[in-house]
Structures are given as C-alpha cells and as structure tokens.
Amino acid sequence: MIRFLRKWHRWVSVVIAIPFLITLATGILLATRGFNSWVQPDYAAPKSSLAISFPQILEAARSIPEAKIQDWKDVSQIDIRPSVGNIRVRAKFTQYEIQIDGNTGKVTGTGIRRASFLTALHEGAYFGPVVRYGIFLPSALGVFFLLISGVYIFFQPFFLKRKKKIISG
C-alpha cells in the first residue's frame, strides 16, 4: 500500500506543479494586498460625506486619461464607503482604480489595481472555464490528495512500530 501511495504521490505532484505554483504565488500576493501597494493602491482615506451624483462620479473618472473610461460600460466596479465619503471606480479594461472624494467630486488618487487580475489567475478563471474546471479544480483536488497521502506516508513508520510493539507484546 505504501509503495502505491508513494508512486501516486510523486506523479500527482509532477502533474499539478504548474497550476499549483500559479495558485501559490498569486495567493501569497493576494494575502499581502492590504500592505502591498503593487497589488492594490494605497490612498489616504477622505473624511467627508457623500454629496455627489453618479454623473459626477463618471465625470471624475473620465478626467483620468490612463483609465480610458468614457462611459459606464468602461467601469467594472464602484466601491462606495459612505462612512468616510470614499468612492473608488475601477476601470474595466486598464486595471486602473480612481479614488474620488464623495463630497467634492475631486480625484484624490489613482493607481493600478492588480488584485482582480491576480484573483482571476489564482482561480484559473483568467484562462477560461475549460482550464479553470479542467485543470485548476483537479489540481486543487490533487493538492488535497498530496496532503492526505503525505501525512499518511509520514506517520506510517510510527504506525508500523506501534503495531510491531503490540504484536510482540
């Protein structure tokens, strides 16, 4: 049994190496996004209230040429924090994020937000559903198998010693 497990453990690890490496690297980057400005821009949090309208939000977003926002179809997400008057607009095609003061409508910061891209890579969704469910999901199951079989292989000598001790009395 142990020989069988070791053989499968070895081959599964070879087959899932690349998808697991992508998942591991992007997971580390995503875990650091709170203090890693390469993944997610840092901005000073405005302390104001919400007083601007959606057309004003769009106009402020349009004022940043790098974001390439002309209409609402160019916006992937809007994050509104009413308690601090903070609005973040994310561009659909450029990974740009624009922070807007919710009271004045002024742009208070811009930056590239890579967290969404890294999440899509992490899940395999970036490559499409065939790769996501045909490679990344089986790879995740492979990692689970490696965990279980690795723990078994590690503890197996202890189980054998215990069994021999019980049999020999």
Side-chain angles (χ1 to χ4, degrees), residues 16 26-27 31 40 55 63 66 89 92 96 104 109 115 132 153 166:
I16 69 166
T26 56
Q40 184 170 298
S63 72
E66 298 89 356
V89 177
K92 187 181 274 186
Y96 251 83
T104 65
R132 181 180 190 179
I153 290 168
I166 291 171

Side-chain angles (χ1 to χ4, degrees), residues 18-29:
I18 291 174
F20 184 61
L21 182 62
I22 291 169
T23 302
L24 183 64
T26 56
I28 290 168
L29 287 171

